[in-house]
Amino acid sequence: MIQFSHVFKRYPGGFDALKDVSLELARGEMAFVTGHSGAGKSTLLRLIALIERPTRGQALVNSRNLARVPRRRIPHFRRELGIVFQDYRLLSDRTVYDNVALPLIVTGTDRREIPRRVRAALDKAGLLEKERMYPVTLSGGEQQRVGIARAVVHRPPLLLADEPTGNLDAQLSDEILELFLDFHRHGTTVLIATHDQRLIERARARVLHLKHGELVRDTGASA
Amino acid sequence: MREYFYRHLQAFFSILGRLARAPLATTATVAVIGITLALPCGLYLVVDNARRLSSGWEGAGQISLFLKREVGEAAAGRLAERLRALPAVAKVEHITREAALAEFKRLSGFGEALDALGRNPLPAVLVVHPATTHSGAATLEALVRELAGLREVDLAQLDLEWVRRLHGWLAIVERGMWLLAGLLGAAVLLIVGNTIRLAVLSRREEIEVVKLVGGTDAFIRRPFLYQGLIQGFMGAVLAWLLLQLSLWALAGPIRELADLYGSGFGPAGLGLDATALLLGAGAGLGWLGSRLAVGWHLRAIEPR
Ligand SMILES: Nc1ncnc2c1ncn2[C@@H]1O[C@H](COP(=O)(O)OP(=O)(O)O)[C@@H](O)[C@H]1O
Ligand SMILES: [Mg+2]
């Protein structure tokens, strides 16, 4: 699903956030990216989502060469991913339902199909009762579950999460982790950036360890 | 295709809702657009009405034939009869030497001086009104030459020069109107562009999220284009209302003035064509201003 070979990322200003990173993540695999703050975890995910472009090296995602995706094709490329953020990135002036429906609306999904799909995603995230509420009226854990429902509503083959539990306490983090494990069991490829060691230990999945932009440890395929 | 249509409809109504939720900002923008569009249209109305009014005068452009002194009243009467029979002539007034003198005395106040002269120095005059079918400038001049060549006629004078000058002025004002329309059209582009710029920036978060979940630029642009289109159209409607209101306010005084001149003239508003042009231009400029602004600012908003 993801193949990086000798990928470098230098930000404007000259800072090397990723140096010579090579890795491979098979379809259906689950892995964590970890490392100290500033190690390059977010940068790695942003390259995969084409929010940033690699400076050097070859990166394939979903068998597409990232260097060969033109600007105007980026939206279509992103429709095959689901992305979860630490700060949820929900639209505050829309209901939970409308937030989750957004990826379906932008892709022009048949409008009779939308309610069914949105409710399936909300059901999975345990939010069926809250569909008419606005994000600000929800707790942090609930907001993150809305973010996850939005990330999976269009059933992407690849799910990316950048510090998804960064703002949550241990119990809520475990609930979120359960959701990711469940998607993984259903065949979704999952890549989670986190520095939460407890979470990684509980998941017992593959770990990619970054240090100052270099991949220093890879535990290999998951247990 | 149905989905496509539905999505446009949805964007259209969501924008109407957005505009209605910010009535003050919307009203201000629409008012500025309306006033801006009303200016060149008002000038157009002035030119158009002046032209209609003066074309009435041109039709009445009359030819004064000053007859030779030796032509007697009876001969003048016969000449008038002959002229009336011409197809190019609608009406001929015969002003006898006595009548001319009486009128001159009455109007000039030189009555006593003329009395002292002892004899009437004024010639008889035939005032020829050309038929409306022969009121074109070239036809009139041909008619004047023909009449000047008559044996009894001393001098033929066409009272048209000032009308022609007026038309020259109107042509200049009209050209100025198009220049002004161009400038103010550009102003509308800027007004809409600025409004849309603010709208885009205020929805920055939303745009980033839509980009992250795979929304294309076209999808993101759509509501803003409708916003520009709707505001431009509403501005044009407002401009139309402003013009009608001004006409209504001016109609009374203009009619009184026209009555003084014995004319049935009343000011005309924008015709169907001009109204369609105004509304189309408003909507089109709104759309274009929005397209330029969105194209420019969307590029700068990339998700983090
Ligand atoms: N847009 C950017 N411009 C310049 N430097 C950046 C940018 N984004 C991140 N960096 C730098 O790159 C390094 C890695 O950042 P990041 O990938 O966010 O690390 P992590 O997510 O592991 O904390 C940091 O030192 C950060 O300061
Ligand atoms: Mg980070």
Side-chain angles (χ1 to χ4, degrees), chain B residues 220-239:
Chain B
I220 297 167
R221 264 198 304 264
R222 197 172 298 143
F224 295 108
L225 295 185
Y226 275 122
Q227 181 175 349
L229 185 99
I230 292 169
Q231 288 185 339
F233 182 79
M234 286 180 9
V237 170
L238 179 65

PDB file of all heavy atoms in Angstrom, chain B residues 220-239:
ATOM      1  N   ILE B 220     -15.275  23.644  -4.595  1.00  0.00           N
ATOM      2  CA  ILE B 220     -15.112  24.703  -3.609  1.00  0.00           C
ATOM      3  C   ILE B 220     -15.531  26.056  -4.195  1.00  0.00           C
ATOM      4  O   ILE B 220     -16.132  26.881  -3.510  1.00  0.00           O
ATOM      5  CB  ILE B 220     -13.649  24.755  -3.129  1.00  0.00           C
ATOM      6  CG1 ILE B 220     -13.304  23.439  -2.431  1.00  0.00           C
ATOM      7  CG2 ILE B 220     -13.415  25.923  -2.196  1.00  0.00           C
ATOM      8  CD1 ILE B 220     -11.828  23.244  -2.189  1.00  0.00           C
ATOM      9  N   ARG B 221     -15.237  26.243  -5.485  1.00  0.00           N
ATOM     10  CA  ARG B 221     -15.568  27.513  -6.144  1.00  0.00           C
ATOM     11  C   ARG B 221     -17.060  27.736  -6.256  1.00  0.00           C
ATOM     12  O   ARG B 221     -17.532  28.862  -6.160  1.00  0.00           O
ATOM     13  CB  ARG B 221     -15.002  27.495  -7.565  1.00  0.00           C
ATOM     14  CG  ARG B 221     -13.668  28.149  -7.717  1.00  0.00           C
ATOM     15  CD  ARG B 221     -13.405  28.474  -9.152  1.00  0.00           C
ATOM     16  NE  ARG B 221     -13.502  27.348 -10.037  1.00  0.00           N
ATOM     17  CZ  ARG B 221     -12.451  26.625 -10.423  1.00  0.00           C
ATOM     18  NH1 ARG B 221     -11.261  26.923  -9.996  1.00  0.00           N
ATOM     19  NH2 ARG B 221     -12.608  25.609 -11.244  1.00  0.00           N
ATOM     20  N   ARG B 222     -17.801  26.660  -6.493  1.00  0.00           N
ATOM     21  CA  ARG B 222     -19.200  26.768  -6.896  1.00  0.00           C
ATOM     22  C   ARG B 222     -20.030  27.726  -6.021  1.00  0.00           C
ATOM     23  O   ARG B 222     -20.645  28.654  -6.546  1.00  0.00           O
ATOM     24  CB  ARG B 222     -19.820  25.372  -6.934  1.00  0.00           C
ATOM     25  CG  ARG B 222     -21.099  25.293  -7.707  1.00  0.00           C
ATOM     26  CD  ARG B 222     -21.540  23.853  -7.864  1.00  0.00           C
ATOM     27  NE  ARG B 222     -20.586  23.055  -8.607  1.00  0.00           N
ATOM     28  CZ  ARG B 222     -20.308  21.780  -8.318  1.00  0.00           C
ATOM     29  NH1 ARG B 222     -20.918  21.187  -7.317  1.00  0.00           N
ATOM     30  NH2 ARG B 222     -19.442  21.114  -9.038  1.00  0.00           N
ATOM     31  N   PRO B 223     -20.044  27.525  -4.693  1.00  0.00           N
ATOM     32  CA  PRO B 223     -20.876  28.435  -3.898  1.00  0.00           C
ATOM     33  C   PRO B 223     -20.434  29.896  -4.003  1.00  0.00           C
ATOM     34  O   PRO B 223     -21.282  30.786  -4.002  1.00  0.00           O
ATOM     35  CB  PRO B 223     -20.725  27.925  -2.463  1.00  0.00           C
ATOM     36  CG  PRO B 223     -19.589  26.991  -2.480  1.00  0.00           C
ATOM     37  CD  PRO B 223     -19.431  26.491  -3.864  1.00  0.00           C
ATOM     38  N   PHE B 224     -19.127  30.132  -4.133  1.00  0.00           N
ATOM     39  CA  PHE B 224     -18.664  31.514  -4.236  1.00  0.00           C
ATOM     40  C   PHE B 224     -19.086  32.133  -5.566  1.00  0.00           C
ATOM     41  O   PHE B 224     -19.429  33.314  -5.633  1.00  0.00           O
ATOM     42  CB  PHE B 224     -17.144  31.579  -4.082  1.00  0.00           C
ATOM     43  CG  PHE B 224     -16.681  31.159  -2.714  1.00  0.00           C
ATOM     44  CD1 PHE B 224     -16.032  29.960  -2.523  1.00  0.00           C
ATOM     45  CD2 PHE B 224     -16.926  31.962  -1.613  1.00  0.00           C
ATOM     46  CE1 PHE B 224     -15.621  29.561  -1.270  1.00  0.00           C
ATOM     47  CE2 PHE B 224     -16.517  31.582  -0.354  1.00  0.00           C
ATOM     48  CZ  PHE B 224     -15.859  30.377  -0.179  1.00  0.00           C
ATOM     49  N   LEU B 225     -19.080  31.321  -6.618  1.00  0.00           N
ATOM     50  CA  LEU B 225     -19.519  31.837  -7.912  1.00  0.00           C
ATOM     51  C   LEU B 225     -20.994  32.225  -7.847  1.00  0.00           C
ATOM     52  O   LEU B 225     -21.402  33.259  -8.356  1.00  0.00           O
ATOM     53  CB  LEU B 225     -19.297  30.787  -9.008  1.00  0.00           C
ATOM     54  CG  LEU B 225     -17.840  30.436  -9.276  1.00  0.00           C
ATOM     55  CD1 LEU B 225     -17.732  29.478 -10.448  1.00  0.00           C
ATOM     56  CD2 LEU B 225     -17.031  31.685  -9.554  1.00  0.00           C
ATOM     57  N   TYR B 226     -21.779  31.364  -7.193  1.00  0.00           N
ATOM     58  CA  TYR B 226     -23.194  31.711  -7.041  1.00  0.00           C
ATOM     59  C   TYR B 226     -23.354  32.967  -6.208  1.00  0.00           C
ATOM     60  O   TYR B 226     -24.204  33.803  -6.482  1.00  0.00           O
ATOM     61  CB  TYR B 226     -23.968  30.557  -6.414  1.00  0.00           C
ATOM     62  CG  TYR B 226     -24.410  29.546  -7.438  1.00  0.00           C
ATOM     63  CD1 TYR B 226     -24.035  28.215  -7.357  1.00  0.00           C
ATOM     64  CD2 TYR B 226     -25.200  29.942  -8.502  1.00  0.00           C
ATOM     65  CE1 TYR B 226     -24.423  27.299  -8.304  1.00  0.00           C
ATOM     66  CE2 TYR B 226     -25.601  29.033  -9.459  1.00  0.00           C
ATOM     67  CZ  TYR B 226     -25.209  27.714  -9.351  1.00  0.00           C
ATOM     68  OH  TYR B 226     -25.600  26.827 -10.294  1.00  0.00           O
ATOM     69  N   GLN B 227     -22.514  33.093  -5.176  1.00  0.00           N
ATOM     70  CA  GLN B 227     -22.602  34.278  -4.327  1.00  0.00           C
ATOM     71  C   GLN B 227     -22.361  35.535  -5.176  1.00  0.00           C
ATOM     72  O   GLN B 227     -23.123  36.505  -5.094  1.00  0.00           O
ATOM     73  CB  GLN B 227     -21.573  34.185  -3.200  1.00  0.00           C
ATOM     74  CG  GLN B 227     -21.638  35.375  -2.265  1.00  0.00           C
ATOM     75  CD  GLN B 227     -20.698  35.219  -1.080  1.00  0.00           C
ATOM     76  OE1 GLN B 227     -20.147  34.152  -0.835  1.00  0.00           O
ATOM     77  NE2 GLN B 227     -20.524  36.296  -0.344  1.00  0.00           N
ATOM     78  N   GLY B 228     -21.309  35.511  -6.012  1.00  0.00           N
ATOM     79  CA  GLY B 228     -21.024  36.663  -6.868  1.00  0.00           C
ATOM     80  C   GLY B 228     -22.160  36.927  -7.842  1.00  0.00           C
ATOM     81  O   GLY B 228     -22.603  38.059  -8.018  1.00  0.00           O
ATOM     82  N   LEU B 229     -22.650  35.844  -8.446  1.00  0.00           N
ATOM     83  CA  LEU B 229     -23.731  35.964  -9.423  1.00  0.00           C
ATOM     84  C   LEU B 229     -24.979  36.576  -8.791  1.00  0.00           C
ATOM     85  O   LEU B 229     -25.574  37.516  -9.318  1.00  0.00           O
ATOM     86  CB  LEU B 229     -24.052  34.572  -9.975  1.00  0.00           C
ATOM     87  CG  LEU B 229     -25.069  34.520 -11.098  1.00  0.00           C
ATOM     88  CD1 LEU B 229     -24.337  34.414 -12.421  1.00  0.00           C
ATOM     89  CD2 LEU B 229     -25.988  33.328 -10.941  1.00  0.00           C
ATOM     90  N   ILE B 230     -25.347  36.064  -7.627  1.00  0.00           N
ATOM     91  CA  ILE B 230     -26.560  36.530  -6.964  1.00  0.00           C
ATOM     92  C   ILE B 230     -26.412  37.995  -6.551  1.00  0.00           C
ATOM     93  O   ILE B 230     -27.297  38.823  -6.773  1.00  0.00           O
ATOM     94  CB  ILE B 230     -26.887  35.649  -5.742  1.00  0.00           C
ATOM     95  CG1 ILE B 230     -27.298  34.246  -6.201  1.00  0.00           C
ATOM     96  CG2 ILE B 230     -28.003  36.266  -4.916  1.00  0.00           C
ATOM     97  CD1 ILE B 230     -27.394  33.239  -5.068  1.00  0.00           C
ATOM     98  N   GLN B 231     -25.252  38.333  -5.975  1.00  0.00           N
ATOM     99  CA  GLN B 231     -25.061  39.711  -5.538  1.00  0.00           C
ATOM    100  C   GLN B 231     -25.055  40.668  -6.727  1.00  0.00           C
ATOM    101  O   GLN B 231     -25.633  41.755  -6.657  1.00  0.00           O
ATOM    102  CB  GLN B 231     -23.766  39.836  -4.750  1.00  0.00           C
ATOM    103  CG  GLN B 231     -23.890  39.189  -3.365  1.00  0.00           C
ATOM    104  CD  GLN B 231     -22.658  39.405  -2.508  1.00  0.00           C
ATOM    105  OE1 GLN B 231     -21.577  39.685  -3.013  1.00  0.00           O
ATOM    106  NE2 GLN B 231     -22.818  39.273  -1.213  1.00  0.00           N
ATOM    107  N   GLY B 232     -24.396  40.263  -7.820  1.00  0.00           N
ATOM    108  CA  GLY B 232     -24.371  41.116  -9.003  1.00  0.00           C
ATOM    109  C   GLY B 232     -25.775  41.318  -9.558  1.00  0.00           C
ATOM    110  O   GLY B 232     -26.172  42.427  -9.910  1.00  0.00           O
ATOM    111  N   PHE B 233     -26.544  40.229  -9.590  1.00  0.00           N
ATOM    112  CA  PHE B 233     -27.900  40.308 -10.116  1.00  0.00           C
ATOM    113  C   PHE B 233     -28.768  41.199  -9.227  1.00  0.00           C
ATOM    114  O   PHE B 233     -29.499  42.064  -9.708  1.00  0.00           O
ATOM    115  CB  PHE B 233     -28.502  38.908 -10.210  1.00  0.00           C
ATOM    116  CG  PHE B 233     -29.881  38.889 -10.798  1.00  0.00           C
ATOM    117  CD1 PHE B 233     -30.062  38.990 -12.167  1.00  0.00           C
ATOM    118  CD2 PHE B 233     -30.993  38.775  -9.986  1.00  0.00           C
ATOM    119  CE1 PHE B 233     -31.324  38.989 -12.727  1.00  0.00           C
ATOM    120  CE2 PHE B 233     -32.270  38.763 -10.533  1.00  0.00           C
ATOM    121  CZ  PHE B 233     -32.430  38.879 -11.897  1.00  0.00           C
ATOM    122  N   MET B 234     -28.633  41.009  -7.912  1.00  0.00           N
ATOM    123  CA  MET B 234     -29.429  41.825  -6.997  1.00  0.00           C
ATOM    124  C   MET B 234     -29.030  43.290  -7.120  1.00  0.00           C
ATOM    125  O   MET B 234     -29.879  44.184  -7.049  1.00  0.00           O
ATOM    126  CB  MET B 234     -29.288  41.324  -5.553  1.00  0.00           C
ATOM    127  CG  MET B 234     -30.067  40.039  -5.361  1.00  0.00           C
ATOM    128  SD  MET B 234     -30.083  39.226  -3.737  1.00  0.00           S
ATOM    129  CE  MET B 234     -29.339  40.296  -2.621  1.00  0.00           C
ATOM    130  N   GLY B 235     -27.734  43.542  -7.326  1.00  0.00           N
ATOM    131  CA  GLY B 235     -27.269  44.915  -7.534  1.00  0.00           C
ATOM    132  C   GLY B 235     -27.908  45.519  -8.773  1.00  0.00           C
ATOM    133  O   GLY B 235     -28.329  46.676  -8.765  1.00  0.00           O
ATOM    134  N   ALA B 236     -28.012  44.720  -9.844  1.00  0.00           N
ATOM    135  CA  ALA B 236     -28.619  45.210 -11.085  1.00  0.00           C
ATOM    136  C   ALA B 236     -30.100  45.515 -10.874  1.00  0.00           C
ATOM    137  O   ALA B 236     -30.615  46.518 -11.375  1.00  0.00           O
ATOM    138  CB  ALA B 236     -28.444  44.183 -12.193  1.00  0.00           C
ATOM    139  N   VAL B 237     -30.774  44.643 -10.118  1.00  0.00           N
ATOM    140  CA  VAL B 237     -32.193  44.896  -9.827  1.00  0.00           C
ATOM    141  C   VAL B 237     -32.330  46.197  -9.044  1.00  0.00           C
ATOM    142  O   VAL B 237     -33.194  47.027  -9.329  1.00  0.00           O
ATOM    143  CB  VAL B 237     -32.808  43.718  -9.035  1.00  0.00           C
ATOM    144  CG1 VAL B 237     -34.189  44.079  -8.534  1.00  0.00           C
ATOM    145  CG2 VAL B 237     -32.866  42.476  -9.909  1.00  0.00           C
ATOM    146  N   LEU B 238     -31.432  46.393  -8.083  1.00  0.00           N
ATOM    147  CA  LEU B 238     -31.468  47.622  -7.294  1.00  0.00           C
ATOM    148  C   LEU B 238     -31.228  48.839  -8.191  1.00  0.00           C
ATOM    149  O   LEU B 238     -31.911  49.860  -8.074  1.00  0.00           O
ATOM    150  CB  LEU B 238     -30.422  47.572  -6.180  1.00  0.00           C
ATOM    151  CG  LEU B 238     -30.368  48.825  -5.314  1.00  0.00           C
ATOM    152  CD1 LEU B 238     -31.660  49.000  -4.546  1.00  0.00           C
ATOM    153  CD2 LEU B 238     -29.186  48.785  -4.362  1.00  0.00           C
ATOM    154  N   ALA B 239     -30.265  48.719  -9.114  1.00  0.00           N
ATOM    155  CA  ALA B 239     -29.981  49.823 -10.040  1.00  0.00           C
ATOM    156  C   ALA B 239     -31.235  50.155 -10.840  1.00  0.00           C
ATOM    157  O   ALA B 239     -31.585  51.326 -11.022  1.00  0.00           O
ATOM    158  CB  ALA B 239     -28.835  49.442 -10.978  1.00  0.00           C
TER     159      ALA B 239
END
